[in-house]
Amino acid sequence: MPADDGDRPAFAVRPELPRILIADGGTEPIRLPAGLHAGILLRDIDLAAAVRRATDGDGVKAIDLDSVRGMESDVAAADFLIETLDIRIVMTRRAHVAERVASRGGYGLLHAHAFDSTGLARAVEGAPTTPGIGTVVSPGAVLPHMRPSELEQLARPIVAYGLLTRTADALDCLELAECVVLREDVAHAVAATARDLTQPVRNLLTTVASEE
C-alpha cells in the first residue's frame, strides 16, 4: 500500500466490484452461484454478525454501513472496515465517509433515492468528484426508466439497489449499471438464465464459466 492520504495508508488498486451482490443479513449462510461474478452485501445486520461474515473468506464483501446495527456511520467506521475487515466497497449516505473510502483505494458508494428527480438532483449535487465515488440507485428498478441525461449525471460505478425480485428486471438493470443487489434465489435464477443466453449479459459470468 504505497500511497497515503496523509493520515492513513491507501491501496494502490481498487477492489473488483462484482456484477451481482447478494444481500446478506447474517441469519443464514449465503451460497454464491457457481460461475457467477458475484459477491456478498452485508446489510441490515448487527456488528458482530458482520464481523463473522467478513472473515469467513467466502467471496468479495461489500457493506451498507448505515444499516449496520451497533456501528456509527463515520470516518472511523470506514477505517475499521478497511483495516480490520478488509472491506473496501462501502455504501453510505454520508459524502465525507464515501470520500474517505475512495481516497483509501476503495469504492465509496453514495445512496441516491430515485423516487423522483429531486432525490437524484440532491445526490448529484452532494457527490464528491473523488475517483472511486459511485452511486447506489434505490429502487434499482427505476434505472431502465431514467432518461439518458439523468444516467449521465450519476457517478460511476452505479449499483442498482432495492432487492430486485424478477430475473428480467435484474438483467435490464445490468445493461445500465455496473452492479445489482439481489436476493440469493434471484441471483441463482440470473446465473441460470445467463448460461442459457446466446449472447450473455456482458461480464456477468466469470472468465472460467464463459470458457466452459
Side-chain angles (χ1 to χ4, degrees):
M1 299 189 294
D4 193 291
D5 68 355
D7 202 16
R8 301 274 186 157
F11 289 82
V13 179
R14 298 192 196 281
E16 185 176 17
L17 180 66
R19 301 254 28 223
I20 288 175
L21 287 170
I22 298 177
D24 181 3
T27 56
E28 299 290 338
I30 296 293
R31 182 172 60 90
L32 294 176
L36 193 67
H37 189 189
I40 290 173
L41 172 66
L42 303 175
R43 64 182 290 275
D44 293 334
I45 191 171
D46 62 58
L47 178 56
V51 171
R52 288 196 301 271
R53 282 287 203 259
T55 56
D56 67 10
D58 185 18
V60 177
K61 302 294 193 306
I63 195 165
D64 185 350
L65 179 55
D66 301 321
S67 73
V68 179
R69 297 181 292 276
M71 175 176 272
E72 297 293 330
S73 183
D74 55 19
V75 167
D79 288 336
F80 172 79
L81 293 172
I82 293 168
E83 296 169 5
T84 304
L85 302 185
D86 194 29
I87 294 178
R88 295 189 287 137
I89 302 172
V90 180
M91 298 179 181
T92 178
R93 293 179 178 85
R94 293 165 172 79
H96 69 286
V97 176
E99 192 165 21
R100 177 68 163 199
V101 175
S103 71
R104 297 198 58 190
Y107 283 115
L109 305 174
L110 275 172
H111 283 283
H113 296 291
F115 292 104
D116 54 47
S117 58
T118 301
L120 285 173
R122 287 175 179 167
V124 170
E125 291 171 2
T129 57
T130 307
I133 295 289
T135 309
V136 181
V137 176
S138 180
V142 170
L143 271 176
H145 305 285
M146 291 175 63
R147 296 189 296 271
S149 59
E150 292 175 323
L151 286 170
E152 289 173 2
Q153 294 180 63
L154 300 179
R156 287 188 178 269
I158 294 174
V159 178
Y161 203 18
L163 295 187
L164 299 165
T165 58
R166 298 192 330 129
T167 302
D169 290 339
L171 292 172
D172 285 346
C173 285
L174 281 164
E175 290 294 336
L176 300 169
E178 282 74 21
C179 174
V180 300
V181 178
L182 303 175
R183 292 193 323 235
E184 183 179 358
D185 60 325
V186 181
H188 282 272
V190 168
T193 301
R195 293 190 193 100
D196 292 338
L197 292 175
T198 304
Q199 295 180 334
V201 175
R202 59 182 178 275
N203 300 327
L204 180 57
L205 300 176
T206 63
T207 303
V208 173
S210 298
E211 291 174 351
E212 292 176 349

